[in-house]
Amino acid sequence: MKIIPLEGRSGGSAVWQGFRRHKNIYALLLPAAVYFALFHYIPMINGVFISLQDYRFGGNSTFVGLFHYKVILKDIEFWRSFRNTMVIGFGNIGLSFVFQILLALLLNEVLNKSFKKSVQTIIYIPYLFSWVAIGGIWISILSPDYGLANSLLKAAGMEPVMFMTNEKLITPIFWLLYTWRSAGYGCVIFLAALTGIDPCLYEAATIDGASRFRQTFAITIPGIYSTMKVVFMLNIIASLRMFTQSIILSNPMVIDKTEVAMTYTYKVGLQNFRMDYASAVAFIMLVIIAGLTGLYQLLVGGKSGEGE
């Protein structure tokens, strides 16, 4: 009897054989698959259907097609929140990403292990705080009446500054607070990646007369390039989905500069009970985030550093 090899069998049979061979692995993956299906994909699909209806709580909903999407294209408030999302989001990404890398490179040069670990712990602590706690801390620090920042300005003979109600200052404050909170998290990831670079490369570069600055761009950066790609992509997703930072630090005086797409969705959907319209906004943002992520993967996915 002629034995047909696995690759020569029908596609369905090969898949079934592979499933049986790795059934233990699939069993371990099953709880995660069920979780994402129940709490992510099914609600997302349901949200798309809601966006196509004139949705009524506990009543009959009528199908309206793309009506809500057409309205969004003319919605000034949505485009204002979208602009704020882009400005705050990409400011957060750029400033925090560069600062995380610089901080990791500087700490990597520290030879005293105890000091290095102490600094890592100190800069990582803000990441453990929620935005509610961080908002309370910094709103107090920047308070015009009793805040530390304005107390120092008054001691220097200067007028107090209304930091949290100044439209020109609130966006840079968002950037700085995001960078302050996320610096330790990104730094720890990059430090872990730096340990994977072969020390022999630095020894060879030193023998060839390469300066430390030259070694950074010829060895270190290419060596952590893969990690940089992943961290940057995660920062894109997190920044464009920001919600808590905006809702905690916003106030009526600066709402035109701080309301982002996710807080606008919350306001329309849960405060105004327009779930259909909010679902359409959320789906548009999902498509935009997926598109930007896909574009980023397309631009950098085929490129690799010398250290990979």
Side-chain angles (χ1 to χ4, degrees), residues 84-85 87-89 91-93 95-96 131 134 138-139 142 163-164 166-182 239 242-251 254-255 257-260 263:
N84 294 339
T85 303
V87 172
I88 297 175
N92 286 346
I93 295 168
L95 189 60
S96 64
W131 272 111
I134 290 174
W138 282 97
I139 289 172
L142 300 176
F163 288 102
M164 300 303 296
N166 189 318
E167 287 193 345
K168 294 182 180 179
L169 295 177
I170 194 63
T171 300
I173 288 174
F174 267 60
W175 296 340
L176 292 174
L177 294 190
Y178 183 89
T179 302
W180 174 75
R181 181 178 185 264
S182 63
S239 294
M242 82 179 88
F243 173 79
T244 314
Q245 180 186 12
S246 175
I247 205 165
I248 293 298
L249 299 176
S250 294
N251 60 75
V254 293
I255 194 67
K257 297 292 184 180
T258 60
E259 184 174 59
V260 294
T263 56

Side-chain angles (χ1 to χ4, degrees), residues 117-165:
K117 290 181 179 179
S118 299
V119 173
Q120 288 183 54
T121 302
I122 292 171
I123 62 176
Y124 189 79
I125 287 176
Y127 187 76
L128 301 177
F129 294 158
S130 67
W131 272 111
V132 176
I134 290 174
I137 292 171
W138 282 97
I139 289 172
S140 297
I141 292 174
L142 300 176
S143 170
D145 299 321
Y146 53 84
L148 177 61
N150 277 302
S151 296
L152 294 175
L153 291 177
K154 291 176 184 177
M158 302 172 65
E159 292 293 324
V161 178
M162 309 291 285
F163 288 102
M164 300 303 296
T165 57

